[in-house]
Amino acid sequence: MTAIHLHDVHFRWSPQANDILHIPELHIPRGELVFIQGHSGSGKTTLLNLIAGIHRPQQGKVQVLETDLTTLSATKRDQFRAQHLGIIFQQFNLLPYLSLLENVQLSCQFSTKRKAKVGDLLKASLRLLDELQIARSMLHKSVNTLSVGQQQRVAVARALIGQPEIIIADEPTSSLDNDNRQRFLDLLFSEVKQQDSTLIFVSHDAALSTHFSTVIKLNELNLAETISS
């Protein structure tokens, strides 16, 4: 079955601007481990935002788990994303008025489906944080007190909790040192395998591509970049 299908997708920032993305066709089967490689400014994050329903294209179809996101309202897309997708944002998007633990559990607060999969929410949260080496003494601290690397690991735990069908990771290792990067990758692949999720992992670091079953070079997929170059 198909996890993600894009057909003739065009995206631009304003009606007068040129396309920054034109994806004629993209199929990603369920359970696939996909690495999308591209240089800075190539549209990697924009592509992820289209798949996540954060942006809507001016033309074309974006189908995720058999649902055409282009036909949904912004509210319905938000609900769909909360139920089915775990996202590791490049800028983390942690909420400063919530504690570390509350940020991790936020996904399950917005999704009854993911909360039901977890069962014991505290136990599941602690397991992920232990794996990512976040000290339990920090659970109730504000995320503003964390280092950049710690914030990134909290964002990872928030994305993984509740067994989402699709995990989207936007440059998730950019703020991690070598030890924490390997620990994160080990945990990510273990969780993906255990819950049979589809993984979409974006990075400019080509060395990471050897971990993945499918590698997509965005400059070859995106006709807008081909035309502009």
Side-chain angles (χ1 to χ4, degrees):
M1 296 182 70
T2 300
I4 296 164
H5 176 209
L6 274 63
H7 175 70
D8 195 28
V9 168
H10 294 252
F11 182 83
R12 65 191 75 91
W13 290 113
S14 67
Q16 294 76 29
N18 294 325
D19 288 345
I20 63 168
L21 285 178
H22 174 199
I23 311 296
E25 202 76 25
L26 174 63
H27 283 274
I28 297 176
R30 293 200 188 193
E32 198 81 0
L33 306 180
V34 179
F35 182 87
I36 299 178
Q37 181 184 340
H39 60 78
S40 296
S42 62
K44 300 188 303 296
T45 296
T46 303
L47 175 59
L48 293 186
N49 286 341
L50 286 168
I51 292 171
I54 296 170
H55 298 329
R56 186 155 56 177
Q58 283 78 14
Q59 180 181 324
K61 176 188 288 188
V62 178
Q63 196 169 36
V64 180
L65 300 174
E66 319 300 331
T67 297
D68 186 355
L69 300 186
T70 60
T71 66
L72 301 182
S73 66
T75 299
K76 291 292 185 183
R77 293 199 307 273
D78 289 345
Q79 292 171 350
F80 182 89
R81 183 166 57 253
Q83 293 278 34
H84 301 286
L85 276 63
I87 304 176
I88 307 168
F89 294 98
Q90 191 170 4
Q91 302 301 322
F92 313 150
N93 290 11
L94 301 178
L95 299 184
Y97 52 85
L98 297 180
S99 70
L100 185 161
L101 182 62
E102 289 169 332
N103 267 281
V104 171
Q105 297 178 342
L106 192 62
S107 302
C108 291
Q109 303 302 335
F110 285 105
S111 171
T112 54
K113 181 177 182 178
R114 289 172 69 173
K115 189 173 183 179
K117 286 182 180 179
V118 165
D120 189 328
L121 184 55
L122 178 59
K123 183 178 179 180
S125 304
L126 293 178
R127 181 184 67 80
L128 286 170
L129 291 170
D130 286 346
E131 292 276 4
L132 291 163
Q133 295 208 333
I134 296 291
R136 294 193 178 191
S137 60
M138 305 180 72
L139 293 181
H140 301 292
K141 290 187 176 182
S142 166
V143 290
N144 287 337
T145 66
L146 306 180
S147 70
V148 172
Q150 288 169 331
Q151 288 183 33
Q152 190 155 31
R153 282 178 275 161
V154 171
V156 167
R158 181 185 60 188
L160 292 178
I161 200 164
Q163 301 180 9
E165 291 102 312
I166 296 175
I167 296 170
I168 292 175
D170 189 1
E171 299 279 6
T173 61
S174 59
S175 299
L176 302 178
D177 59 31
N178 286 337
D179 288 343
N180 280 317
R181 179 173 67 175
Q182 191 56 53
R183 189 175 295 111
F184 158 69
L185 290 172
D186 290 343
L187 175 64
L188 180 63
F189 289 119
S190 173
E191 292 292 317
V192 166
K193 182 178 180 180
Q194 180 179 324
Q195 58 201 40
D196 197 27
S197 296
T198 304
L199 174 61
I200 313 298
F201 188 110
V202 159
S203 178
H204 66 275
D205 186 356
L208 296 173
S209 64
T210 57
H211 297 276
F212 293 81
S213 54
T214 300
V215 177
I216 296 172
K217 294 183 178 179
L218 187 54
N219 65 335
E220 297 176 0
L221 180 70
N222 180 20
L223 287 189
E225 182 166 325
T226 304
I227 292 169
S228 65
S229 60

